[in-house]
Amino acid sequence: MASLAEVRVEEAEPMENETQARPEELRLLEALLFASSEPLDTATLAKRMPEGVDVKAALEQLQADYSLRGVNLVRVANKWTFRTAGDLAWLMTRESTETRRLSRAAIEVLAIIAYHQPVTRAEIEEIRGVVTSKGTLDVLLETGWIKPRGRRKTPGRPLTFGTTEDFLSQFTLEQLGDLPGLEELKGTGLLDSRLPTGFSVPTPSDDPQLREDEDPLEPGEDLDLALAPAVEPETPEEAPEGGHEGAAKAAPKSEAPAFYRRPATG
């Protein structure tokens, strides 16, 4: 009966034979390429190899050995490196969420839609006093916070917009009625204490049903084409120098923010 020591020797012999059977130049190339933080060219590898080694042939052999493995030996810009096999690239994919800040115009339009819905683009522009570009509405539509509700029963049948459940979720609201009212806005400093007489903040409605002045959207209607064509960057018609920001600075301090004003009627 063989002793325990003899058994261990017998088990180790195949591993030693396997190492000895693998050409030394391939082991050296593997070590150099795995240890390098960047791809290596043939000349650099040749300097570290014993004399008489055909580096080019050895690289081709090593490339063939790794062709069916999880990592492959590839040549990039005449340099060699190990890379994850192409069919396994999905394992290295990482999903990330990109946070982008909304522009001032988008925030104003979103506030107007939230407080005044259902509201058309023309009504948004009347409240803001600024032409609203198609891009601003597109950004808000992409976020999923607003959606077209229907069409106003007026000439041209413009789209009406309202907020979505994603809007409530994003801003942690149970219902639209939880949006800050007049006193809350004044308390946070968003409204000046010297407001025009009779000023009030609209009370938004959660009712998803279309109103009497709205028609339903037609099935399969192309909403992108229904939006008005893109216009130049948003500037008031008679803005002082500096564009929209200049107009905001020129406005009286007692004037309420544009997105809380009611559109003119009549």
Side-chain angles (χ1 to χ4, degrees), residues 127-143:
I127 294 170
R128 293 185 67 214
V130 179
V131 175
T132 300
S133 72
K134 178 179 179 293
T136 300
L137 286 171
D138 285 345
V139 167
L140 294 175
L141 288 168
E142 289 175 4
T143 64

Side-chain angles (χ1 to χ4, degrees), residues 13-190:
E13 284 179 354
M15 296 179 61
E16 294 177 359
N17 292 337
E18 182 179 348
T19 302
Q20 293 174 358
R22 186 168 177 78
E24 185 68 13
E25 59 267 25
L26 298 187
R27 299 182 63 237
L28 292 173
L29 287 174
E30 281 177 327
L32 290 171
L33 292 168
F34 270 117
S36 177
S37 60
E38 57 185 9
L40 300 175
D41 57 30
T42 304
T44 301
L45 292 169
K47 292 179 181 178
R48 307 297 299 273
M49 301 294 290
E51 291 186 13
V53 174
D54 187 343
V55 178
K56 183 177 179 181
L59 285 169
E60 291 176 353
Q61 178 61 46
L62 193 61
Q63 187 177 41
D65 290 349
Y66 276 87
S67 62
L68 299 179
R69 299 189 181 186
V71 291
N72 298 152
L73 180 60
V74 298
R75 186 165 58 180
V76 179
N78 292 323
K79 295 183 178 181
W80 296 86
T81 186
F82 282 109
R83 294 281 175 87
T84 303
D87 61 326
L88 299 179
W90 59 273
L91 289 170
M92 306 298 133
T93 301
R94 182 179 65 181
E95 294 183 1
S96 60
T97 302
E98 180 183 358
T99 302
R100 294 186 299 173
R101 294 174 62 89
L102 288 178
S103 65
R104 175 179 175 179
I107 293 173
E108 289 185 359
V109 171
L110 179 62
I112 291 172
I113 294 174
Y115 279 91
H116 294 270
Q117 59 185 302
V119 62
T120 66
R121 176 176 170 174
E123 292 166 345
I124 293 172
E125 293 175 349
E126 184 178 356
I127 294 170
R128 293 185 67 214
V130 179
V131 175
T132 300
S133 72
K134 178 179 179 293
T136 300
L137 286 171
D138 285 345
V139 167
L140 294 175
L141 288 168
E142 289 175 4
T143 64
W145 296 346
I146 69 169
K147 66 178 180 181
R149 285 172 44 102
R151 289 190 174 277
R152 186 78 79 204
K153 294 179 180 179
T154 57
R157 301 181 66 247
L159 285 170
T160 58
F161 295 94
T163 56
T164 65
E165 291 184 1
D166 287 343
F167 170 81
L168 298 177
S169 175
Q170 175 66 29
F171 295 96
T172 320
L173 301 171
E174 289 188 12
Q175 55 187 358
L176 285 175
D178 292 334
L179 285 168
L182 178 60
E183 296 303 321
E184 292 174 288
L185 292 169
K186 289 172 63 176
T188 57
L190 292 175

